[in-house]
Amino acid sequence: MTENRTQRSLRLPPAVSTAAGVGTLIIAAVASWSSLLLVVRGQVIPGWGVSAVLLVLSLVLRWVLIRKGRTAGASGLSQKRATWAHLGNTLLITTAVFGTACGAIDDLISSAKYHVLRPEGPGGCTAVVRETSFLVIGTGEVYAVGRTGLALGESGSWAVDDGYRPFDAGTYELEWGRDGGLLQISGTSTDPVLRGGLTDIDCGW
């Protein structure tokens, strides 16, 4: 009897479960088209990877709700509202799937590599680099990642001639001060830096 009461008390109300599923879908859709990334135990998860995880979680939650009969219609919503809710969920899923696929394909085509630079700066601020090479141009972006492990956008970008990868070659310097970091990217005499090359790293402390 006590176990049954505990199980019932742990069940979320249908409205809360539905809101959680929709909220996760919205975040997945936004993440799939944004330039965010997440660092977990030194491993970089790009925005499209975060979106993929959230999308799977949302779909699993949706499946569980359907299995338990806790759909929007079962929650007392009118048929018209249930239809609009279904269309909204479909649009969010489509947006997240398409954004995730585009991000993954872009990383694949450009042979993207992610580098977590050391040492860390004050307050645990970490510089994370996404380095790509496509045809005759090498490009890259740097992200300032704080203690949360999340970066919501890039801090700077650059381009190098002939697909050169400065971080694979080690032709860069990272210096930290009390107010942030300074990242300097260098090319070679035959593969010079075409754009950027000097970027501030600021985690906002």
Side-chain angles (χ1 to χ4, degrees), residues 7 11 38 55 70 72 90 105 129 135 160 170-171 175 184:
Q7 290 178 350
R11 291 176 181 174
L38 180 66
L55 183 59
R70 293 181 176 180
T90 301
I105 291 172
V129 167
L135 297 178
V160 187
T171 55
E175 296 182 357
Q184 183 174 358

Side-chain angles (χ1 to χ4, degrees), residues 177-201:
R178 290 187 302 174
D179 298 326
L182 184 65
L183 179 64
Q184 183 174 358
I185 299 98
S186 303
T188 67
S189 58
T190 56
D191 303 320
V193 176
L194 303 176
R195 171 179 55 81
L198 196 63
T199 301
D200 291 324
I201 310 297

Side-chain angles (χ1 to χ4, degrees), residues 20-107:
V22 173
T24 305
L25 267 181
I26 293 174
I27 297 174
V30 172
S32 68
W33 290 99
S34 64
S35 57
L36 66 81
L37 57 77
L38 180 66
V39 178
V40 180
R41 294 186 177 182
Q43 300 298 314
V44 179
I45 305 175
W48 61 264
V50 175
S51 175
V53 172
L54 291 175
L55 183 59
V56 170
L57 289 176
S58 177
L59 293 178
V60 169
L61 179 58
R62 183 180 176 86
W63 177 78
V64 170
L65 291 176
I66 291 175
R67 282 290 299 269
K68 292 185 177 182
R70 293 181 176 180
T71 60
S75 301
L77 293 176
S78 66
Q79 184 63 36
K80 184 176 181 180
R81 290 179 63 188
T83 300
W84 279 109
H86 176 72
L87 290 175
N89 286 339
T90 301
L91 178 61
L92 287 172
I93 292 172
T94 302
T95 301
V97 169
F98 188 61
T100 299
C102 287
I105 291 172
D106 180 57
D107 268 10

Side-chain angles (χ1 to χ4, degrees), residues 35 37 115 117 126-131 139-145 151 153-158 167 174 176 181-185 198-202:
S35 57
L37 57 77
H115 304 269
L117 305 188
T126 303
V128 176
V129 167
R130 176 181 182 265
E131 194 171 35
T139 60
E141 304 92 32
V142 62
Y143 300 80
V145 179
E154 65 186 51
S155 296
S157 63
W158 57 88
F167 291 86
L174 175 62
W176 292 101
L182 184 65
L183 179 64
Q184 183 174 358
I185 299 98
L198 196 63
T199 301
D200 291 324
I201 310 297
D202 184 6

